[in-house]
Amino acid sequence: SGKSLLIRVFTFSIIIELIGTFLIFSSYQFDYKMLFESVFHSISAFNNAGFILSDDFMNSLNLKWYFTILIFLGAIGFPTLSDVFSNFSKKRNWKTLHLTTKISLLSSFMLIFIGSIALYLLESTSIDGSLLEKITDLIFHSTSGRTAGFTAIDFSTLGFPLLITFIFLMFIGASPGSFGGGIVQVRFAALDTNTTFSANTDDFLSLSITPTSASNKILLDLRVRCQGFWATSEDSWHFYV
């Protein structure tokens, strides 16, 4: 129901942002003067907003990792978070995850990997430090550049090929039901296709993708009969992206 959905979204948001606040606050040795900034940056990162009150994270590996994790959680979507949490609490495995959850997770990791490799190959001179610092910067900018906007390097100095790569990643964006923008990953996977998939299993899935030739828009009709995050009173959900 709508009330149940609202409660889950609110609960996930509060819990994740509180944990993020604690981690960021710990980086400041729990200096009470930095409490508001810790809360602000935790909310900003999880909501993929990109707003900052200071540039302290630019020189802190811990803060970059905290920001990266918060951005990632905010970009994979509440249906994915709910499904992963449900599977983890019931000690299930990868096979029991919903189709959209698998698409969200796999595509997210793949896009982060592509962005990191592109940044390393095209602009490795812009990233200094030890191996750990370079890996942190690559993953941080690949994750943030796609949906949030936090940056520790001057993008105005980057070459045209890398800028096009990040524009492409921003165009794809985040997962359905998330704080990120873009055309969302499921739409991109379905671009210029006309696919129908069905599986008669414990969790019946029916996926149909139909492009509109005139406007090149894609309608994704996803019905899942299961105890899913978006379950309706009829124990099924109809999801458009």
Side-chain angles (χ1 to χ4, degrees):
S1 65
K3 182 179 180 180
S4 176
L5 170 62
L6 182 61
I7 292 175
R8 291 192 183 193
V9 170
F10 183 80
T11 301
F12 274 112
S13 298
I14 292 299
I15 292 176
I16 292 174
E17 288 169 358
L18 283 177
I19 294 175
T21 298
F22 176 81
L23 293 175
I24 295 173
F25 194 41
S26 68
S27 295
Y28 294 112
Q29 285 73 49
F30 298 103
D31 183 357
Y32 73 94
K33 295 180 180 178
M34 305 303 295
L35 178 59
F36 176 77
E37 185 170 315
S38 300
V39 174
F40 183 92
H41 284 151
S42 177
I43 296 174
S44 179
F46 180 64
N47 286 272
N48 285 240
F51 298 117
I52 59 173
L53 297 178
S54 70
D55 57 2
D56 294 340
F57 73 93
M58 293 185 179
N59 300 312
S60 172
L61 289 180
N62 288 340
L63 287 178
K64 286 179 181 178
W65 279 113
Y66 298 154
F67 278 33
T68 299
I69 294 172
L70 288 169
I71 294 168
F72 177 81
L73 293 177
I76 61 175
F78 289 102
T80 299
L81 289 174
S82 179
D83 191 27
V84 171
F85 177 78
S86 176
N87 274 261
F88 179 78
S89 62
K90 296 178 181 178
K91 297 182 179 180
R92 295 178 178 175
N93 55 35
W94 170 264
K95 295 181 180 180
T96 61
L97 293 173
H98 296 167
L99 177 62
T100 49
T101 300
K102 295 178 181 179
I103 294 176
S104 295
L105 292 175
L106 290 176
S107 58
S108 294
F109 287 123
M110 180 186 69
L111 292 173
I112 292 174
F113 177 77
I114 291 175
S116 300
I117 294 298
L119 183 58
Y120 175 75
L121 294 178
L122 298 175
E123 295 290 342
S124 59
T125 56
S126 300
I127 300 178
D128 301 320
S130 64
L131 178 61
L132 177 60
E133 290 173 334
K134 289 182 178 180
I135 293 176
T136 299
D137 280 336
L138 290 173
I139 296 177
F140 170 76
H141 286 99
S142 180
T143 304
S144 176
R146 182 164 54 91
T147 58
F150 297 101
T151 179
I153 58 179
D154 186 0
F155 266 66
S156 65
T157 63
L158 302 181
F160 181 75
L162 185 61
L163 294 179
I164 291 296
T165 301
F166 271 90
I167 290 175
F168 172 73
L169 293 175
M170 287 187 288
F171 173 75
I172 298 174
S175 302
S178 71
F179 289 116
I183 65 171
V184 303
Q185 297 151 357
V186 176
R187 279 187 180 179
F188 178 74
L191 196 61
D192 294 326
T193 63
N194 189 351
T195 307
T196 300
F197 169 79
S198 63
N200 293 318
T201 60
D202 293 337
D203 293 340
F204 176 80
L205 291 174
S206 177
L207 175 65
S208 62
I209 304 168
T210 306
T212 302
S213 57
S215 61
N216 203 28
K217 293 182 179 178
I218 293 179
L219 171 66
L220 179 62
D221 176 12
L222 179 59
R223 300 194 307 273
V224 180
R225 191 177 68 210
C226 60
Q227 297 296 330
F229 184 70
W230 301 98
T232 66
S233 58
E234 297 179 354
D235 199 21
S236 64
W237 46 279
H238 204 81
F239 182 48
Y240 292 96
V241 295

